[in-house]
Amino acid sequence: MKKISKAAVIGGGTMGNGIAHIFSMHGITIHLVERNRELADKALETITGNLDRMVGKEKIDATRKEETLDRIVTFTDTAKAVGEVDLVVEAVPENFDLKRELFSEIDKAAPGEAILASNTSSISITRLAATTSRADKFIGMHFFNPVPVMKLVEVVKGLQTSDETVAVIEKTAQRLDKNAVVVSDYPGFVSNRVLMPMINEAIYCVYEGVAEPEEVDQVMKLGMAHPMGPLRLADFIGLDVCLDILNVLHDGFKDPKYRPCPLLVKMVDAGRLGDKTGEGFYSYD
Ligand code: 3HC
């Protein structure tokens, strides 16, 4: 079976820098691509901070931190970055046209044998795969935030993804010390099909005056042992991201049970997106 020794990660935002961090920490050379040098430096700074936190908690030693950083090379040119890799993991914003254009460039520049993976949380893997010349080597590799901490990789098998590709990605996830769960490609996969209706229902509770955000969250934290209540989690994920995913579920299944709560729509319209804007269901400094 093909072994991944060098991978490119496209996008150094919250998910991309976490993905680069864990691949490199487990011995895989990383080409990390950002749009410009400033963003690339910022991604490296975040990875360094998260590695420092792990050293502080004695999860890794200082040598492993340095080795992890040494294995990450940053690029601003996607074609150059993917030229000699075994795997490309895309982690850019959730916009189909943006991803389609990116994968068309990657498909031309990456070696014919390379596997192309998307970290999309909701866009169809089958549809993205069909825009490349290697649908059999195209797969979803869906990570969870914070990537260095969460134990799951949801591996999404598109209609044309080969069993060989699934096996390589499952094995790679194990090397990253993650559990791979393989699912079929339907809207929201399993994770967001289950999570987002719960978050939406929690928002409806606030919208209908059943309870305040703090109370809804306390019920789920204390009664169901969730580490974060659904509204705190919605802020952490980003309310715009939650709304996008609910719209994908609503459009994909044509079922009113996925209708986004009007309060969520209003908050996104107001630019109250959660942690990243400092205001969501809670306020952040
Ligand atoms: N890098 C490395 N380590 C990190 C980290 C990071 N970015 N962020 C947190 N950690 C570590 C901390 O060092 C700490 O380690 P310890 O257990 O050894 O002390 C541990 O994680 C817990 O962190 P904190 O003590 O700072 O804080 P909490 O105990 O409150 O935990 C949390 C924070 C891990 C985020 C926890 O609240 C949690 O699990 N929340 C739920 C997160 C979740 O559901 N994520 C999935 C979102 S959905 C998604 O991503 C998919 C998309 O498609 C929407």
Side-chain angles (χ1 to χ4, degrees), residues 11-283:
T14 309
M15 299 307 286
N17 74 56
I19 295 167
H21 171 148
I22 50 150
F23 269 81
S24 179
M25 214 174 84
H26 290 90
I28 298 169
T29 298
I30 285 296
H31 290 180
L32 177 59
V33 185
E34 254 301 357
R35 276 170 296 157
N36 56 49
R37 193 82 346 253
E38 202 184 341
L39 288 172
D41 289 346
K42 195 169 162 229
L44 265 187
E45 222 174 87
T46 305
I47 295 171
T48 307
N50 285 330
L51 286 166
D52 281 336
R53 183 209 289 245
M54 294 181 111
V55 173
K57 301 240 172 185
E58 296 183 352
K59 289 196 171 152
I60 58 170
D61 59 22
T63 311
R64 186 147 182 221
K65 174 196 149 185
E66 290 311 324
E67 286 169 356
T68 300
L69 288 173
D70 287 348
R71 267 191 294 268
I72 303 177
V73 187
T74 54
F75 287 76
T76 52
D77 182 328
T78 303
K80 272 195 193 140
V82 303
E84 290 172 5
V85 300
D86 309 305
L87 168 70
V88 179
V89 184
E90 166 274 315
V92 303
E94 293 288 86
N95 176 311
F96 179 77
D97 290 332
L98 173 69
K99 289 186 198 271
R100 189 194 40 177
E101 271 175 38
L102 186 63
F103 275 117
S104 145
E105 185 182 2
I106 293 168
D107 193 25
K108 286 191 198 98
E113 288 309 303
I115 293 176
L116 309 187
S118 175
N119 176 57
T120 181
S121 52
S122 57
I123 293 174
S124 163
I125 293 300
T126 306
R127 192 167 166 225
L128 280 174
T131 68
T132 72
S133 64
R134 53 178 106 186
D136 59 322
K137 297 190 190 68
F138 198 103
I139 195 160
M141 212 175 173
H142 184 205
F143 289 86
F144 295 82
N145 185 21
V147 180
V149 179
M150 306 310 279
K151 283 288 169 203
L152 175 67
V153 180
E154 190 177 38
V155 176
V156 187
K157 192 176 187 306
L159 192 65
Q160 303 184 76
T161 309
S162 71
D163 292 342
E164 164 72 10
T165 300
V166 173
V168 172
I169 294 303
E170 274 188 285
K171 188 99 197 140
T172 305
Q174 282 162 15
R175 272 175 71 198
L176 304 178
D177 204 15
K178 304 282 183 206
N179 296 290
V181 176
V182 182
V183 305
S184 290
D185 180 29
Y186 283 101
F189 318 134
V190 169
S191 54
N192 281 318
R193 184 171 176 172
V194 175
L195 175 65
M196 288 302 157
M198 182 189 71
I199 286 178
N200 202 34
E201 207 55 41
I203 302 172
Y204 270 111
C205 285
V206 176
Y207 176 66
E208 292 172 4
V210 179
E212 293 298 319
E214 290 81 357
E215 282 132 18
V216 174
D217 280 351
Q218 273 206 346
V219 166
M220 299 307 287
K221 277 172 68 178
L222 303 180
M224 285 78 178
H226 288 201
M228 283 175 165
L231 299 168
R232 175 67 195 93
L233 181 57
D235 278 356
F236 181 63
I237 292 170
L239 299 188
D240 51 341
V241 175
C242 294
L243 180 58
D244 281 348
I245 299 172
L246 278 161
N247 279 328
V248 166
L249 289 166
H250 195 222
D251 293 345
F253 291 116
K254 311 276 184 261
D255 187 330
K257 77 177 173 187
Y258 300 111
R259 183 173 70 102
C261 178
L263 176 59
L264 173 63
V265 177
K266 198 190 237 183
M267 287 177 75
V268 172
D269 283 345
R272 292 179 60 160
L273 307 181
D275 295 29
K276 61 186 159 192
T277 59
E279 283 286 332
F281 287 101
Y282 299 94
S283 292

